[in-house]
Amino acid sequence: MNLDVDFMLSDLPTVFAALPSTLLLSLDSMFWALVFALICGGAQLARIPVLDKVTLVINTFIKGIPLVVQLLFCYYAVPYAVKWFDALVGRTYDPRHLPYFGAAVLALALNFGAYITDVVISSTRAVDRGQWESAYACGMTRFQALRRVVAPQVIVISLPNMTNYFIWLLKGTSLASIVNVTEMLTTARLSASDGYQFLEAYIDAAIIYWIVCAVIEWASGRLYRSAGRYLVAPNGATAQ
Amino acid sequence: MTELSASAEATPADAPVVSVRGLKKSFGGVEVIKDVSFEVSQGQVLSILGPSGSGKTTMLRCINALERPDSGLITVDGVSLDYGKGKPRYRDILAQRRKTAMVFQHYNLFKNKTVLHNVTEGLAVVQRKNKQEAEAIAGEALEAVGMSGLEDRFPMHLSGGQQQRVSIARALALNPSVILFDEPTSALDPERVNEVLRTMKDIASRGVTMIVVTHEIRFARAVSDTVIFMDGGRIVEKGAPDKVIDHPQTDRLREFLNSLASREFE
């Protein structure tokens, strides 16, 4: 059996056309993962009573369950949730239009949010206590110190880790193909099913994933070097 | 900033700028400050000497509420916080803090901001000055510490002495009622110490009220109006520098001064 290179080339645009849906799913999930992580991380850093412990337990729970299981759980839980919600707002339950995209976003956001919580916490703790103190000594409120001095440093410190998680998440969206979300991998599979040229289609998908991830990593590196230029001494040595 | 200070009262001309009464502070059951009281008048320089662990840094940090005393009354330019009455309101802490500025042992410049923006930050964010005004004030302050021309550098690109001078400019620009110096030369290379001490002497000669925690005996003698020697959380001796440093009354201070002197000649 030979690799059908012609099909591989001709199928490339078809698979590539699904890239926006993969990116949309990734960005959507990353956004909610960040929101989740900021809430959990914030609660734990600020030692908000009860909430800090609750988020800690939720996070260990999420981290201890495979992403596939979470996707499947959200997938099968969606009809129940929608049914319940429709009953709550007095709407007629319609099983034909279930929000599977939303379910995939929920699963991905919770899963990656749990990991990104640790990035938020460790990056914030990596900012020297003296930065807070000198902001306070200048008369800033806690919020001003956070917004003007600490948070900008946290963003720079966390950028490499955040990028890694985003790349991981982007590849993780391929698992959403098992829960009826048409993203790039699903599109590759569907496009190959007529001629059983799955290997070719998956190679196409792999190439596109790789290029996209490489571009993201390159862009993040550039951003890090420019936003983090204050960390680099003239002799090239890097602090921290 | 008086509109922020709920407990501000009109300060009589001869009233002290900083007044500390009955200050006590413990960490985990260990009393590090045991009933300390002192006052500093307008334009005066107070130096605080003492061995490590004598409570001098903690006491300084109580004056801008970076540490919360267990009890005591601290007044800075009319804004009083009475810690004996429990936890003060946050707005009162802010009001008192905004009467002070601090120079830290490890400079603590905002790492991600240039020299200029380190100085303008407090002016813009806290004092709500516009950009031109803030930059004009920052320019003057940087001029005063001899750091003009390096406005666009990041702290990482400066020597320790230069960073400390920027941090003095940052404090000076806020035009506080008192500047608190926490061992400002302890983290510096010996060669850089003098440039910072000279800068501090310049600032003192402008009539800025200063409280300086230091190990630099010669600086304390040359610049201070009053010297306090602390040990074990108490003020052991207090007075004019020629009295305290040249004619110590207690064995403990003599011992301390001797240990510093012998270190110098090793």
Short mmCIF file of all heavy atoms in Angstrom, two decimals, chain A residues 26-36 109:
data_model
loop_
_atom_site.label_atom_id
_atom_site.label_comp_id
_atom_site.label_asym_id
_atom_site.label_seq_id
_atom_site.Cartn_x
_atom_site.Cartn_y
_atom_site.Cartn_z
N SER A 26 -10.27 26.55 20.53
CA SER A 26 -9.10 26.74 21.40
C SER A 26 -9.18 28.07 22.13
O SER A 26 -8.99 28.13 23.36
CB SER A 26 -7.81 26.73 20.58
OG SER A 26 -7.74 25.57 19.80
N LEU A 27 -9.45 29.14 21.39
CA LEU A 27 -9.46 30.48 22.00
C LEU A 27 -10.61 30.60 23.00
O LEU A 27 -10.43 31.14 24.10
CB LEU A 27 -9.59 31.56 20.92
CG LEU A 27 -8.34 31.73 20.06
CD1 LEU A 27 -8.61 32.66 18.88
CD2 LEU A 27 -7.17 32.28 20.89
N ASP A 28 -11.76 30.06 22.62
CA ASP A 28 -12.91 30.08 23.51
C ASP A 28 -12.59 29.35 24.81
O ASP A 28 -12.82 29.87 25.91
CB ASP A 28 -14.09 29.38 22.80
CG ASP A 28 -15.38 30.17 22.98
OD1 ASP A 28 -15.51 30.83 24.02
OD2 ASP A 28 -16.23 30.12 22.07
N SER A 29 -12.02 28.15 24.67
CA SER A 29 -11.69 27.36 25.85
C SER A 29 -10.61 28.03 26.67
O SER A 29 -10.67 28.04 27.91
CB SER A 29 -11.20 25.97 25.44
OG SER A 29 -12.16 25.35 24.60
N MET A 30 -9.61 28.60 25.99
CA MET A 30 -8.51 29.26 26.71
C MET A 30 -9.05 30.45 27.50
O MET A 30 -8.64 30.67 28.64
CB MET A 30 -7.44 29.72 25.72
CG MET A 30 -6.17 30.22 26.38
SD MET A 30 -5.28 28.87 27.24
CE MET A 30 -3.92 29.77 27.97
N PHE A 31 -9.96 31.19 26.88
CA PHE A 31 -10.53 32.36 27.58
C PHE A 31 -11.19 31.93 28.89
O PHE A 31 -10.91 32.48 29.95
CB PHE A 31 -11.53 33.09 26.67
CG PHE A 31 -12.27 34.18 27.38
CD1 PHE A 31 -11.66 35.41 27.59
CD2 PHE A 31 -13.56 33.98 27.86
CE1 PHE A 31 -12.33 36.43 28.26
CE2 PHE A 31 -14.24 34.99 28.53
CZ PHE A 31 -13.62 36.22 28.73
N TRP A 32 -12.07 30.92 28.78
CA TRP A 32 -12.78 30.47 29.99
C TRP A 32 -11.85 29.76 30.97
O TRP A 32 -12.05 29.84 32.18
CB TRP A 32 -13.98 29.62 29.62
CG TRP A 32 -15.05 30.44 28.96
CD1 TRP A 32 -15.42 30.41 27.64
CD2 TRP A 32 -15.82 31.49 29.56
NE1 TRP A 32 -16.37 31.36 27.39
CE2 TRP A 32 -16.65 32.04 28.54
CE3 TRP A 32 -15.90 32.03 30.85
CZ2 TRP A 32 -17.54 33.09 28.79
CZ3 TRP A 32 -16.79 33.07 31.08
CH2 TRP A 32 -17.59 33.59 30.06
N ALA A 33 -10.82 29.10 30.43
CA ALA A 33 -9.82 28.48 31.32
C ALA A 33 -9.12 29.56 32.13
O ALA A 33 -8.90 29.41 33.33
CB ALA A 33 -8.80 27.69 30.50
N LEU A 34 -8.81 30.68 31.48
CA LEU A 34 -8.15 31.79 32.18
C LEU A 34 -9.07 32.39 33.24
O LEU A 34 -8.63 32.67 34.36
CB LEU A 34 -7.73 32.88 31.19
CG LEU A 34 -6.41 32.64 30.45
CD1 LEU A 34 -6.22 33.69 29.36
CD2 LEU A 34 -5.24 32.69 31.44
N VAL A 35 -10.34 32.56 32.87
CA VAL A 35 -11.30 33.11 33.84
C VAL A 35 -11.36 32.19 35.06
O VAL A 35 -11.25 32.63 36.22
CB VAL A 35 -12.70 33.27 33.20
CG1 VAL A 35 -13.75 33.60 34.26
CG2 VAL A 35 -12.67 34.34 32.12
N PHE A 36 -11.50 30.90 34.79
CA PHE A 36 -11.57 29.90 35.86
C PHE A 36 -10.30 29.93 36.72
O PHE A 36 -10.34 29.91 37.95
CB PHE A 36 -11.80 28.51 35.24
CG PHE A 36 -11.93 27.40 36.23
CD1 PHE A 36 -13.04 27.32 37.06
CD2 PHE A 36 -10.96 26.41 36.32
CE1 PHE A 36 -13.16 26.28 37.98
CE2 PHE A 36 -11.08 25.37 37.23
CZ PHE A 36 -12.18 25.30 38.06
N ALA A 109 -12.10 23.99 29.15
CA ALA A 109 -11.82 25.15 30.01
C ALA A 109 -11.59 24.71 31.45
O ALA A 109 -10.65 25.17 32.11
CB ALA A 109 -12.97 26.15 29.95
#
